[in-house]
Amino acid sequence: MAKRFSPETYQQGILSGDRVLLSRAITLVESKLPADQELAQQVIERVLPFAGKSVRIGITGVPGVGKSTFIEAFGNYLLQEQDKKLAVLAIDPTSQRSGGSILGDKTRMELLSTNPRAYIRPSPAGKSLGGVAKSTRETIILCEAAGFDAIIVETVGVGQSETAVHAMVDFFLLLMLAGAGDELQGIKRGIMEMADAIAITKADGTNMIKAKAAKAEYQNALHLYPPAASGWLPRVSVCSALQQTGLDTIWQTIMDYLQRTRQNGFFEKKRHEQNLQWMYEAVRQGLEESFYVHTQVRELLPRIVQEVKAGRKSAFAAAHELLRLV
């Protein structure tokens, strides 16, 4: 078991930018042990007044779009051209099936992982996306308190993870490929509606013409969607991680979005709503965890499961019977 420190030690270490104590605090947040969870919450409470000053950017994209390559190129642009301190966090619901983790992202982002002003933290495999998302939210707070002023949250899987990331970031960027058949296929309408910007990746060489055509097609499609509550019209751009082009345009788009939403009050309103959503999800997750460790539930659950699987009891009756125990 890793050594535990006092809440004050974690707080002082995180605020001074100590990477080791930051990593250990994140490990506490990810732990399922009640003692670790209690200590983690004490640390969160202590550093919370120092958090909230970063720009939180969510990045998702279709398989093969080159998210890691883009994030490394964009991350290095933020470090070198914008003088930012950058944290990259990843939500990986896919690892729940294999039990594996996405530590490979660290090796794919070699330049970022060796830069002292960048911090890469993959989420571990978890029983539920909610659990992984909860630890990522708390990790954002810890990283902000440690002085990281740009935080990228990457979705590694597809599906629910986009919604989870959208609920914890200020700006949501969707990466797309050009020349992969019908440009609007293979991406859910809901994800398109969540996007604050779309970037067509790998826009270099012979692919440039296709990328520009895809840009026009997506821009036209976005005009068909109802206006966003933010008052912002999503933009489409092209970029190449290989040639380091278009990255400045994407950053300018993010800055324009932040300026617009801060002026009209949407930015603060969204942050407040996200805080409430985090609370309700934490309550929901806490209830679920306490339910399954309840003594009577643990004793009865195996028999109930067999009865439902065999069709001798309906799922609804089984749930009702279990819920009456707590």
Side-chain angles (χ1 to χ4, degrees):
M1 183 186 297
K3 182 182 177 183
R4 291 194 189 99
F5 301 96
S6 68
E8 294 85 359
T9 301
Y10 284 109
Q11 178 190 14
Q12 291 167 7
I14 290 166
L15 296 182
S16 66
D18 186 318
R19 296 296 186 90
V20 174
L21 281 173
L22 172 62
S23 294
R24 289 191 174 185
I26 294 172
T27 301
L28 285 178
V29 161
E30 293 170 347
S31 171
K32 297 287 188 275
L33 296 175
D36 287 347
Q37 278 293 303
E38 187 176 343
L39 180 54
Q41 292 314 310
Q42 292 176 30
V43 175
I44 292 286
E45 287 300 313
R46 283 177 168 272
V47 303
L48 191 59
F50 305 94
K53 298 180 180 69
S54 77
V55 52
R56 305 166 182 172
I57 305 164
I59 297 181
T60 190
V62 295
V65 77
K67 282 197 296 291
S68 293
T69 307
F70 171 82
I71 289 172
E72 174 154 68
F74 188 59
N76 281 313
Y77 168 81
L78 294 181
L79 294 170
Q80 295 165 15
E81 303 298 326
Q82 300 298 329
D83 198 29
K84 298 292 181 186
K85 281 186 70 180
L86 172 70
V88 179
L89 314 176
I91 288 188
D92 183 25
T94 56
S95 63
Q96 294 165 36
R97 291 186 179 179
S98 64
S101 73
I102 51 161
L103 289 169
D105 269 13
K106 280 199 172 185
T107 58
R108 288 201 299 273
M109 300 181 192
E110 290 177 12
L111 285 174
L112 274 187
S113 61
T114 56
N115 191 306
R117 291 192 299 125
Y119 181 77
I120 301 175
R121 180 79 181 201
S123 292
K127 288 185 179 178
S128 69
L129 176 58
V132 179
K134 174 180 174 290
S135 65
T136 304
R137 290 190 191 100
E138 294 176 335
T139 300
I140 287 173
I141 292 169
L142 294 172
C143 287
E144 287 179 338
F148 293 98
D149 44 19
I151 297 180
I152 290 176
V153 184
E154 176 193 8
T155 69
V156 179
V158 291
Q160 269 187 303
S161 57
E162 280 86 3
T163 307
V165 170
H166 185 262
M168 64 178 79
V169 297
D170 304 314
F171 187 91
F172 195 63
L173 177 65
L174 173 61
L175 303 180
M176 294 296 289
L177 283 167
D182 183 350
E183 307 303 348
L184 301 181
Q185 292 298 314
I187 193 76
K188 292 181 180 176
R189 172 177 171 152
I191 298 171
M192 285 276 289
E193 287 180 324
M194 284 190 285
D196 297 306
I198 295 174
I200 314 297
T201 62
K202 304 181 182 179
D204 44 50
T206 57
N207 207 37
M208 179 58 84
I209 295 172
K210 290 178 182 177
K212 288 183 176 178
K215 174 185 174 181
E217 195 167 345
Y218 280 119
Q219 198 73 70
N220 289 336
L222 288 170
H223 281 286
L224 302 176
Y225 292 136
S230 61
W232 170 261
L233 182 63
R235 298 179 187 173
V236 186
S237 60
V238 298
C239 65
S240 168
L242 189 67
Q243 296 184 349
Q244 309 280 302
T245 54
L247 303 175
D248 53 345
T249 302
I250 293 170
W251 179 244
Q252 187 58 53
T253 295
I254 294 171
M255 290 295 96
D256 291 347
Y257 172 87
L258 293 177
Q259 183 182 16
R260 176 73 182 270
T261 55
R262 281 177 174 142
Q263 283 176 346
N264 65 20
F266 180 81
F267 180 89
E268 193 173 359
K269 179 171 177 279
K270 184 179 180 182
R271 283 267 179 114
H272 290 165
E273 287 174 350
Q274 286 177 341
N275 288 340
L276 276 179
Q277 187 175 349
W278 295 6
M279 182 192 76
Y280 286 126
E281 286 187 11
V283 168
R284 200 157 41 236
Q285 187 184 352
L287 286 171
E288 184 177 345
E289 288 174 356
S290 62
F291 172 80
Y292 283 112
V293 297
H294 190 279
T295 306
Q296 287 179 288
V297 171
R298 290 173 68 177
E299 289 174 357
L300 189 61
L301 190 58
R303 177 174 64 79
I304 293 283
V305 167
Q306 291 306 316
E307 289 180 352
V308 172
K309 285 171 71 175
R312 294 192 299 272
K313 188 185 289 286
S314 76
F316 305 105
H320 187 65
E321 185 175 345
L322 289 166
L323 287 168
R324 280 187 305 182
L325 298 173
V326 296

